Amino acid sequence: MSANHCGDLNLAKEIISAAKSTGADAVKIQTYTADTLTLDCRSEIFKIKGTLWDGKYLYDLYKEACTPWEWQRELKEYADSIGIPLFSTPFDASAADFLEELNVPMYKIASFEAFDYNLIRYVASKQKPMIISTGVSTIEEMQGAIDACKSEGNNDITLLKCTSAYPSKLSDMNLSTIPDMIRRFGPQGVKIGLSDHSMSLAVPITAVAMGARVIEKHFTLDRSLGGADSGFSLNVSEFSEMVKCVREAEEAIGVPNYSVDMKNRKFARSLFASKDIKKGEVFSPENVRSIRPSDGLHPKYYDSIIGKAASCDIKFGSPLRTEYIEI
């Protein structure tokens, strides 16, 4: 949901309800205040440049975008009442303690906090599943986040491939990183997913095909409502279509399977008499063909049959059998 509630509690509830209707598995909010994230300082270093929020000061953006703490118990209870899990991203220890009081089922660490190992250790100590975005982390920092969780005895870790651009360009997604992350971190029991800020439905579907186990996507009722994150959020119909396609991709991926569909194999090729063949007549390309259906000998025997004699009369259109061939 992020900032798409636009400061309206009822709209926040509508978003939760709509997310449930789309088939989303869970809704994530954020738990911070402007003061826990940054300083109320008007220095140029605190001014945002080159993004969707160009010209704003960090403090002002976070003050506008935060989900008020006084809403969050009510939102959690509402989500519980309609049967969709609600969890959050804590940005400091006090937020984690507050969320524990709400009994959220898991925690998310945002990309820009993903190498604040003290924060990660504290949140991991709550012994809930940990989801960590990696949009600005090096490989070494990703490993550091994993180690921080495990140092607290928390081994339920999911790293999200993330491109921290809002919105993200397709050319910057580099989804091939997902199988590489699976190769690097999977042996440690770490799951890999995608935090997607693109406006594409193809991106999450492709990510699932490449092994992603979690998809995080911003969601809004309607982009025209505004909100700090609306410009890279899917609306209800788009999110519903994404869920449908992801489920179809999951089903289609299945498992490695080399079994043969014998019912359809009926229409494969085999060896047939393409002319009447008399007993003693030699098999040749003129009287033996590999054709459909599959009632005769396997085509692999074609070369070994040619030049041998028929052990009996064989009618045109008869599937060849081993007993029809003189040894």
Side-chain angles (χ1 to χ4, degrees), residues 22 36 46 90 105 155 182 225 247 271 281-282 299 306:
T22 67
T36 61
F46 290 88
N155 298 310
I182 293 170
L225 293 172
R247 299 298 183 225
L271 301 182
E281 186 177 344
V282 172
I306 298 302

Side-chain angles (χ1 to χ4, degrees), residues 283 309-314 318-326:
F283 293 113
S311 63
C312 59
D313 291 345
I314 307 169
S318 297
L320 295 188
R321 308 277 184 246
T322 52
E323 58 266 29
Y324 298 170
I325 304 159
E326 284 188 355

Side-chain angles (χ1 to χ4, degrees), residues 222-279:
D222 186 334
R223 283 187 289 274
S224 68
L225 293 172
D229 301 320
S230 62
F232 51 92
S233 299
L234 298 188
N235 62 29
V236 176
S237 62
E238 291 163 342
F239 200 95
S240 296
E241 182 65 16
M242 182 194 75
V243 170
K244 173 179 173 289
C245 291
V246 164
R247 299 298 183 225
E248 289 175 352
E250 288 174 324
E251 184 177 1
I253 289 165
V255 296
N257 181 5
Y258 295 97
S259 64
V260 175
D261 184 339
M262 298 309 294
K263 182 179 178 182
N264 285 329
R265 190 178 170 93
K266 160 75 177 171
F267 304 104
R269 288 189 173 226
S270 66
L271 301 182
F272 274 75
S274 57
K275 290 183 178 180
D276 287 337
I277 303 172
K278 297 293 185 183
K279 181 179 179 180

Side-chain angles (χ1 to χ4, degrees), residues 43-117:
S43 162
E44 279 296 305
I45 2 179
F46 290 88
K47 185 181 279 190
I48 303 168
K49 301 176 182 70
T51 77
L52 196 65
W53 309 288
D54 205 45
K56 286 194 174 185
Y57 285 97
L58 290 174
Y59 189 90
D60 297 336
L61 174 63
Y62 299 145
K63 191 171 182 180
E64 172 195 342
C66 71
T67 301
W69 291 31
E70 58 269 23
W71 292 5
Q72 295 192 18
R73 183 179 299 279
E74 188 171 344
L75 293 179
K76 173 71 165 55
E77 290 171 354
Y78 178 72
D80 288 345
S81 74
I82 64 171
I84 185 167
L86 182 143
F87 67 107
S88 187
T89 303
F91 288 82
D92 75 328
S94 68
D97 290 340
F98 171 72
L99 291 167
E100 274 296 285
E101 293 174 13
L102 304 188
N103 195 28
V104 296
M106 66 189 76
Y107 289 105
K108 163 79 188 297
I109 301 295
S111 284
F112 302 111
E113 280 65 44
F115 42 86
D116 185 341
Y117 302 137

Side-chain angles (χ1 to χ4, degrees), residues 169-229:
K169 297 177 184 176
L170 293 180
S171 57
D172 292 335
M173 295 305 299
N174 294 313
L175 294 181
S176 294
T177 310
I178 290 172
D180 191 70
M181 291 173 73
I182 293 170
R183 179 183 62 80
R184 289 176 185 275
F185 303 118
Q188 301 177 55
V190 175
K191 299 176 284 292
I192 304 300
L194 174 72
S195 178
D196 180 23
H197 303 124
S198 78
M199 293 302 292
S200 168
L201 301 189
V203 167
I205 297 161
T206 303
V208 169
M210 299 183 92
R213 300 280 300 278
V214 172
I215 299 294
E216 179 188 46
K217 197 91 166 171
H218 282 70
F219 178 63
T220 183
L221 293 185
D222 186 334
R223 283 187 289 274
S224 68
L225 293 172
D229 301 320

